Amino acid sequence: MRNDKPLVGLNLDYRAARKDQPAFAFLCAGYFDALAKVGAIPMVLPPIEDEDDIERMLDLLDGVVLIGGADLDPRRDGFMLHPSVRLMDPRREDFDRTLMKLIARRRMPVFGIGVGMQLLNVTQGGNLFLHIPEDMPRAIPHCDPTDPNHRHALVVTPGSLMERVYGEGEIRVNSMHHMAVDEVAPGFAVTARCPDGVVEAIESVMDDWFAFGTQFHPEADSATALDLRIFEEFLAGVTGREIEEVRLVA
């Protein structure tokens, strides 16, 4: 029996070697568990250097989910380094930026989460607030180190993927970030915000590219069953099938 489940790539976090341990790559289980639950086969993408080899990996995939993690280096996009920035390992950032460039060139379906959404935005011509408490001083707290399950309200744009997921009524999502989208990349639109104005989701408005991102984390332990529907929407966009059919696959 032929298995026609779509293959979805996941980039990895990376930690360089230290005195007491070797270098290693890692991935929170919520990402691949969520994809498996909605009927995809998750495939991990190690941070390799050769661009042709990355292209070969993408040849095998139907879509890519860009995971969250530490901060992008703002100096790579022409901005100064803010003291609050907690940089991701350069090896991961090098790989992620190359990966995103190739995804965009192919117009491959992509879903960015957390810093994955920020990467999608900056590589396509947008930019970021580097520290919400300074750049948007009236914003509510978006990072509570004492409460990993910190959640805040969400306001979605009518007619968007986010509205299809959450519908009407009071919506709350998890929030653990200090950077946020400022100017949105050309070809994308904001489709969800916190009531304080902080961007929480963007979606492509281009006819030839299914691409979107969420600042919050629908794969996290603090996510709800409703949040999982974002992965259903992603899989529906990857396969071209209706949501109900995707659920039957799962």
Side-chain angles (χ1 to χ4, degrees), residues 1 4-5 36-40 232 235 241-250:
M1 181 175 178
D4 63 350
K5 290 183 177 180
K37 284 178 182 176
V38 300
E232 292 180 343
L235 204 62
R241 290 179 285 187
E242 297 295 329
I243 287 292
E244 288 302 321
E245 188 177 351
V246 168
R247 287 176 178 164
L248 287 174
V249 170

Side-chain angles (χ1 to χ4, degrees), residues 13-72:
D13 215 336
Y14 178 82
R15 187 170 297 167
R18 300 177 181 178
K19 289 183 179 180
D20 59 342
Q21 62 185 20
F24 63 95
F26 57 101
L27 177 66
C28 293
Y31 294 106
F32 54 79
D33 284 345
L35 286 169
K37 284 178 182 176
V38 300
I41 300 175
M43 305 288 288
V44 296
L45 307 176
I48 59 179
E49 295 182 4
D50 189 278
E51 193 166 309
D52 289 339
D53 292 345
I54 300 172
E55 292 270 27
R56 179 70 181 104
M57 290 195 298
L58 292 178
D59 287 343
L60 305 174
L61 301 175
D62 299 295
V64 174
V65 171
L66 300 170
I67 69 168
D71 298 327
L72 298 169

Side-chain angles (χ1 to χ4, degrees), residues 19-175:
K19 289 183 179 180
D20 59 342
Q21 62 185 20
F24 63 95
F26 57 101
L27 177 66
C28 293
Y31 294 106
F32 54 79
D33 284 345
L35 286 169
K37 284 178 182 176
V38 300
I41 300 175
M43 305 288 288
V44 296
L45 307 176
I48 59 179
E49 295 182 4
D50 189 278
E51 193 166 309
D52 289 339
D53 292 345
I54 300 172
E55 292 270 27
R56 179 70 181 104
M57 290 195 298
L58 292 178
D59 287 343
L60 305 174
L61 301 175
D62 299 295
V64 174
V65 171
L66 300 170
I67 69 168
D71 298 327
L72 298 169
D73 189 339
R75 293 169 296 188
R76 298 194 183 199
D77 299 301
F79 295 90
M80 295 180 64
L81 187 64
H82 190 276
S84 67
V85 171
R86 182 173 59 91
L87 295 175
M88 69 172 61
D89 189 278
R91 179 172 174 179
R92 174 183 167 182
E93 185 163 357
D94 289 343
F95 173 76
D96 285 6
R97 286 179 179 266
T98 300
L99 180 67
M100 187 64 249
K101 177 186 72 174
L102 300 178
I103 289 170
R105 183 185 298 168
R106 291 167 174 250
R107 290 297 194 253
M108 175 176 278
V110 62
F111 171 22
I113 299 173
V115 74
M117 181 185 87
Q118 295 172 8
L119 177 69
L120 175 61
N121 188 61
V122 299
T123 59
Q124 302 312 301
N127 61 32
L128 304 175
F129 288 126
L130 299 184
H131 194 50
I132 294 172
E134 290 184 9
D135 294 319
M136 301 180 71
R138 295 185 180 181
I140 65 171
H142 283 257
C143 184
D144 184 353
T146 67
D147 181 11
N149 296 322
H150 177 63
R151 299 177 73 83
H152 64 60
L154 190 73
V155 179
V156 300
T157 300
S160 65
L161 182 152
M162 288 294 110
E163 187 192 40
R164 292 200 300 273
V165 169
Y166 291 107
E168 299 179 355
E170 183 176 354
I171 304 162
R172 300 189 71 80
V173 295
N174 54 39
S175 177

